[in-house]
Amino acid sequence: MPNHDVKDRALAPQGKDRILWADRSMPVLTRIRERFETEKPLNGQTLAACLHVTTETANLCRTLKAGGARVLLCASNPLSTQDDVAASLVEDYGVEVYAIKGEGHDTYYEHINAVIDAGPTLTMDDGCDLVSTLHTKRTDKVDGVVGGSEETTTGVIRLRSMEQEKVLRYPIVAVNDAFTKHLFDNRYGTGQSTLDGILRCTNVLLAGSTFVVAGYGQCGRGVAMRARGAGANVIVTEVDPLRGLEAAMDGFRVMPMEEAAAIGTVFLTVTGNLHVLRREHFEKMKDGALVANAGHFNVELDIPALDEIAQSRRTVRPFVEEFRLADGRRIHLLGEGRLINLAAAEGHPASVMDMSFANQALCAEHLVAKAASLEKRVYGVPGEIDEEISRLKLAALGMEIDRLTQEQESYLRSWQQGT
Ligand code: ADE
């Protein structure tokens, strides 16, 4: 039995069924796993992963193990772990898992430390908590790491700061920046799973609601698009003029949060920044407002400020906390302000994680093959990996695309032909 700290190993049979269900929608990762089984490109590696412990992550772990790695997994968010999946990974797949849904801050970091104790040669992070712990409190283990990868926008931003300050101690591949990751996972994955999380925990009717999306990056676009599809009146708030303009031309109302606060019925932050919804906004909200976050950290909402202006707070449904203000208005905080798609639902669907995690698996292989020649920098995903994944995914979807004719190829190379 691998070392572990999970909620209940008896949950394993249910977890295994769910993992295999997700696997059916992950054909690209399956192909990589089959190749890894024969080629063993990760032989001898100890891979510490700090990821959301979901069915999709389980299939990634199976792939990494098939490649020959020893795999340790801890959670990248205290509320995103699926306890049945954690149990099955330990019982059925020999992965050393340290993750319990609802774990407190101290346990969260104990679990990160537990995977570091193994002395990883590779890291796989989602939000940079593992890498930052290795670079601050656990420098005893940092020299053994040959490379790492990062899954999400927030983590890549933190890593680029480390690179700029010249404190990064090993090369990192920014998986988030692959086209086959952020154009699909961030947009369609977040778009669907965020609404899924809000709906599962509130059962609110989106048709006719006024849905405020803070942030119009790929994630914000996805949420705004899907909320509109469900009949909501969507307002976008932004700080970037180009993104604000894009949102306007995509047909959304754009205004400062100051104004949106007074008219929204559902609020969703997805900016990657701090205190996007704060006291002055909460004070303006209508009775019954729903407030949620789909950005990596719950700091997008100033929850202490909401607590300060509330006279009482109580849980009214799972993942729904009601804050009652002095004048009787009620504001509802969903999923403790943590990633609502993972806290109250199951995260992005497997079909989209197929591409994200295909990138992760291929980047782990790339890091091992190229470790000696890489510098202590943040690298993009090699273009060949991105292209290979889009080709495989398209084929798995049963779709073919056209090829350039020879005439078209030479036309594209020529500059003489005009009107
Ligand atoms: N991030 C968002 N959705 C996810 C999922 N289903 N598995 C792992 N990480 C995720």
Side-chain angles (χ1 to χ4, degrees):
M1 180 65 51
N3 292 329
H4 64 274
D5 187 17
V6 300
K7 184 170 180 204
D8 180 3
R9 276 177 19 224
L11 297 171
Q14 176 192 314
K16 187 172 183 189
D17 282 345
R18 292 182 57 246
I19 291 167
L20 295 177
W21 171 259
D23 198 43
R24 296 187 206 178
S25 300
M26 304 183 86
V28 180
L29 193 63
T30 303
R31 275 190 66 161
I32 295 169
R33 189 185 311 136
E34 285 161 3
R35 177 169 69 75
F36 275 18
E37 249 148 29
T38 51
E39 294 179 10
K40 299 283 178 203
L42 306 180
N43 249 349
Q45 303 295 325
T46 297
L47 192 149
C50 180
L51 300 170
H52 301 299
V53 181
T54 64
T55 52
E56 294 74 25
T57 299
N59 287 315
L60 171 61
C61 290
R62 292 173 62 205
T63 307
L64 300 169
K65 272 198 76 92
R70 172 184 174 194
V71 180
L72 300 103
L73 174 66
C74 64
S76 57
N77 185 292
L79 216 49
S80 61
T81 297
Q82 299 172 5
D83 290 315
D84 56 347
V85 170
S88 172
L89 278 171
V90 171
E91 286 279 328
D92 304 312
Y93 297 110
V95 177
E96 298 163 61
V97 184
Y98 298 86
I100 299 172
K101 184 165 178 127
E103 63 194 15
H105 176 272
D106 292 350
T107 309
Y108 177 77
Y109 277 100
E110 273 162 32
H111 285 162
I112 288 182
N113 276 295
V115 303
I116 294 175
D117 285 341
T121 55
L122 291 170
T123 62
M124 200 171 268
D125 217 345
D126 186 337
C128 190
D129 282 346
L130 172 59
V131 173
S132 85
T133 304
L134 261 169
H135 281 70
T136 51
K137 301 193 175 70
R138 293 303 307 273
T139 49
D140 57 309
K141 297 289 188 196
V142 79
D143 286 339
V145 185
V146 297
S149 56
E150 169 55 53
E151 171 78 5
T152 202
T153 316
T154 294
V156 172
I157 291 170
R158 294 175 79 189
L159 287 156
R160 291 208 197 281
S161 302
M162 292 173 74
E163 180 185 13
Q164 257 183 356
E165 288 179 21
K166 302 204 184 323
V167 296
L168 190 60
R169 304 223 351 219
Y170 57 85
I172 297 275
V173 178
V175 163
N176 181 71
D177 295 358
F179 292 111
T180 46
K181 199 280 183 181
H182 68 268
L183 288 182
F184 302 94
D185 169 317
N186 300 27
R187 190 163 37 158
Y188 302 114
T190 307
Q192 177 168 318
S193 63
T194 297
L195 293 197
D196 186 14
I198 293 172
L199 295 179
R200 284 199 207 188
C201 70
T202 63
N203 200 24
V204 68
L205 180 69
L206 292 175
S209 68
T210 301
F211 195 113
V212 181
V213 180
Y216 204 65
Q218 294 298 341
C219 295
R221 268 159 227 228
V223 176
M225 183 182 4
R226 293 295 177 249
R228 173 160 64 191
N233 297 297
V234 179
I235 295 172
V236 171
T237 69
E238 247 303 337
V239 292
D240 179 314
L242 188 62
R243 287 184 171 180
L245 186 59
E246 269 191 287
M249 297 235 176
D250 285 345
F252 299 109
R253 280 194 289 166
V254 177
M255 64 182 76
M257 186 58 87
E258 189 80 9
E259 275 174 51
I263 50 182
T265 53
V266 185
F267 294 84
L268 190 270
T269 53
V270 65
T271 68
N273 215 329
L274 180 76
H275 296 171
V276 177
L277 281 176
R278 43 187 185 269
R279 185 184 184 121
E280 70 248 37
H281 304 128
F282 297 130
E283 278 172 342
K284 292 201 171 70
M285 286 181 187
K286 291 191 201 179
D287 180 38
L290 304 178
V291 176
N293 168 53
H296 188 77
F297 291 117
N298 61 348
V299 295
E300 303 213 15
L301 311 176
D302 188 354
I303 300 169
L306 180 57
D307 188 44
E308 251 175 59
I309 61 169
Q311 289 212 322
S312 63
R313 67 191 269 190
R314 70 186 179 108
T315 299
V316 290
R317 292 165 60 99
F319 305 111
V320 183
E321 212 180 346
E322 175 192 281
F323 290 71
R324 191 178 281 268
L325 309 192
D327 62 4
R329 272 178 301 147
R330 292 156 299 181
I331 296 176
H332 301 108
L333 174 68
L334 309 187
E336 300 173 20
R338 304 223 180 253
L339 287 156
I340 193 61
N341 56 338
L342 285 142
E346 294 170 69
H348 302 352
S351 178
V352 87
M353 294 311 294
D354 187 28
M355 290 184 278
S356 310
F357 286 164
N359 273 290
Q360 287 286 12
L362 295 182
C363 286
E365 179 181 37
H366 167 76
L367 279 164
V368 171
K370 294 280 166 15
S373 61
L374 296 175
E375 293 168 29
K376 295 168 182 176
R377 287 180 34 207
V378 180
Y379 290 88
V381 172
E384 313 84 74
I385 290 184
D386 229 351
E387 203 184 307
E388 163 90 349
I389 292 172
S390 41
R391 246 185 326 102
L392 289 175
K393 188 68 177 177
L394 210 48
L397 292 170
M399 290 180 201
E400 289 179 39
I401 56 172
D402 285 324
R403 272 166 188 251
L404 292 174
T405 62
Q406 272 197 345
E407 183 192 29
Q408 288 170 329
E409 276 185 23
S410 67
Y411 177 78
L412 288 178
R413 274 196 305 273
S414 73
W415 54 271
Q416 293 96 337
Q417 290 185 57
T419 311

